[in-house]
């Protein structure tokens, strides 16, 4: 039945949004350097996926010598840049501001779609309206600004760089997923990201061990939730959903992270933020509607 892939994709996106919403609060809670947390979340995820890739999925390894493999590696490089910029911004600034600024990803995603002349990812006029509403809702709900101190300015700049890198990561991932399964793609992507982050950590003298038990539990929770369920489910959806649409759906992480920060870290959301959250949800719905109304692309001749 045609409805089965739609249901699976919708379910994957719902799980992914819930999972990634836990990322920022857990990063803020962990008593470990952000770069180290970034390395461990990718390194452990890579190790967890290795038995599957080397076993049931080993027949796909030959495809890694082609364009799909190169796109998967490039996605891993972009993911490393994303984690190396956004995760420190969460610890340098606030969860709300870092999450809000990284949520500008759809803007960069749409610009990349135009620059690369993507056939399915370029937003329509209605899609751009939805993106504008969603990003405006994020700014309203979180009160994101450029900060008033050097530390805050650095945190904001890192979060914006993380948003740009995330857009590149999603773009390359969309292309790699055209030929690779979710497991094989994420295995290459996470492995590449982990190696690069390990080099950065060693070069910068970032401690990779010696954390307390609560920090290790937080890291494992990030791996199981945000990494394996979150990013992996988004990667699964990229096979059927345009990268621009996926990047807008990730905006739902903002209210999710705010709710978790309230319940767990005691960061009670401001009443003035509620209209912004409503605007954010409305923008996401508009983008989904725009994607649903887009005509299916005509297959190119073989």
């Amino acid at each position: 039945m045609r409805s089965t892939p739609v249901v699976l994709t919708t379910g994957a996106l719902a799980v992914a949004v819930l999972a990634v919403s836990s990322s920022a609060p857990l990063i803020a809670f962990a008593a470990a350097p952000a770069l180290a947390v970034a390395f461990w979340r990718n390194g452990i995820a890579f190790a967890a996926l290795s038995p599957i890739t080397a076993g049931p999925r080993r027949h796909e390894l030959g495809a890694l010598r082609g364009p799909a493999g190169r796109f998967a590696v490039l996605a891993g490089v972009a993911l490393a840049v994303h984690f190396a910029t956004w995760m420190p911004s969460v610890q340098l600034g606030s969860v709300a501001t870092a999450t809000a600024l990284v949520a500008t990803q759809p803007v960069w995603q749409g610009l990349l779609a135009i620059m690369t002349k993507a056939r399915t990812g370029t937003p329509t006029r209605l899609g751009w309206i939805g993106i504008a509403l969603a990003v405006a809702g994020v700014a309203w709900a979180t009160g994101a600004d450029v900060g008033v101190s050097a530390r805050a300015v650095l945190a904001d700049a890192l979060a914006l760089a993380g948003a740009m890198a995330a857009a590149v990561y999603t773009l390359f991932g969309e292309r790699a997923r055209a030929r690779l399964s979710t497991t094989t793609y994420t295995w290459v992507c996470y492995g590449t990201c982990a190696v690069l982050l390990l080099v950065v950590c060693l070069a910068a003298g970032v401690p990779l061990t010696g954390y307390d038990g609560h920090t290790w539990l937080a890291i494992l929770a990030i791996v199981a939730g945000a990494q394996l369920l979150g990013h992996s489910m988004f990667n699964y959806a990229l096979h059927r959903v345009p990268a621009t649409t996926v990047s807008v759906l990730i905006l739902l992480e903002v209210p999710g992270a705010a709710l978790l920060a309230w319940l767990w870290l005691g960061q009670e959301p401001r009443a003035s933020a509620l209209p912004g959250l409503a605007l954010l949800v409305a923008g996401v719905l508009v983008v989904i509607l725009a994607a649903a109304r887009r005509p299916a692309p005509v297959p190119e001749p073989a």
Side-chain angles (χ1 to χ4, degrees):
M1 296 177 64
R2 290 185 60 188
S3 61
T4 301
V6 175
V7 172
L8 289 175
T9 302
T10 303
L13 288 170
V15 170
V17 169
L18 291 174
V20 298
S21 296
S22 68
S23 181
L26 285 168
I27 293 168
F29 172 80
L35 287 176
V37 176
F39 161 71
W40 282 117
R41 71 181 286 178
N42 285 275
I44 296 175
F46 171 78
L49 294 172
S50 292
I52 302 174
T53 306
R57 294 291 182 180
R58 64 179 180 274
H59 62 279
E60 295 183 13
L61 297 180
L64 297 179
R65 292 190 292 267
R70 291 192 290 273
F71 284 131
V73 170
L74 289 172
V77 174
L79 184 62
V81 176
H82 166 68
F83 283 138
T85 50
W86 177 66
M87 290 180 67
S89 76
V90 174
Q91 294 185 340
L92 287 171
S94 69
V95 169
T97 301
T99 307
L101 291 177
V102 83
T104 59
Q105 176 186 347
V107 176
W108 313 112
Q109 200 80 56
L111 293 174
L112 280 175
I114 293 174
M115 293 169 59
T116 58
K117 297 180 173 59
R119 293 188 304 138
T120 60
T122 304
T124 60
R125 180 178 298 179
L126 184 60
W128 276 115
I129 292 174
I131 289 174
L133 288 174
V135 174
V138 167
W140 187 342
T142 62
D145 55 39
V146 296
V148 294
S149 67
R151 181 186 175 97
V153 170
L154 175 59
D156 292 345
L158 288 173
L160 282 173
M164 297 177 193
V168 176
Y169 156 64
T170 307
L171 177 67
F172 283 134
E174 181 183 36
R175 297 185 178 186
R177 281 289 288 113
R179 294 293 183 88
L180 299 176
S181 67
T182 303
T183 302
T184 301
Y185 163 65
T186 52
W187 179 74
V188 175
C189 184
Y190 297 166
T192 302
C193 181
V195 169
L196 292 175
L197 290 173
L198 177 60
V199 171
V200 172
C201 287
L202 293 177
V206 176
L208 298 175
T209 58
Y211 314 137
D212 59 36
H214 291 94
T215 295
W216 282 116
L217 286 176
I219 292 174
L220 292 176
I222 292 172
V223 173
Q227 196 73 12
L228 291 177
L229 283 179
H231 281 266
S232 296
M233 289 299 98
F234 280 130
N235 292 334
Y236 168 81
L238 282 173
H239 191 54
R240 296 183 178 278
V241 181
T244 303
T245 303
V246 170
S247 68
V248 173
L249 289 173
I250 296 175
L251 284 172
L252 292 175
E253 174 187 0
V254 176
L259 179 60
L260 287 176
W262 177 24
L263 297 176
W264 184 26
L265 302 178
Q267 298 181 8
E268 184 175 356
R270 295 173 290 107
S272 59
L274 297 180
L277 294 179
L279 188 61
L280 165 62
V281 173
V284 172
L285 291 176
V286 170
V287 172
I288 294 173
L289 177 62
R293 293 174 58 182
R294 181 192 295 273
V298 179
E300 296 181 353

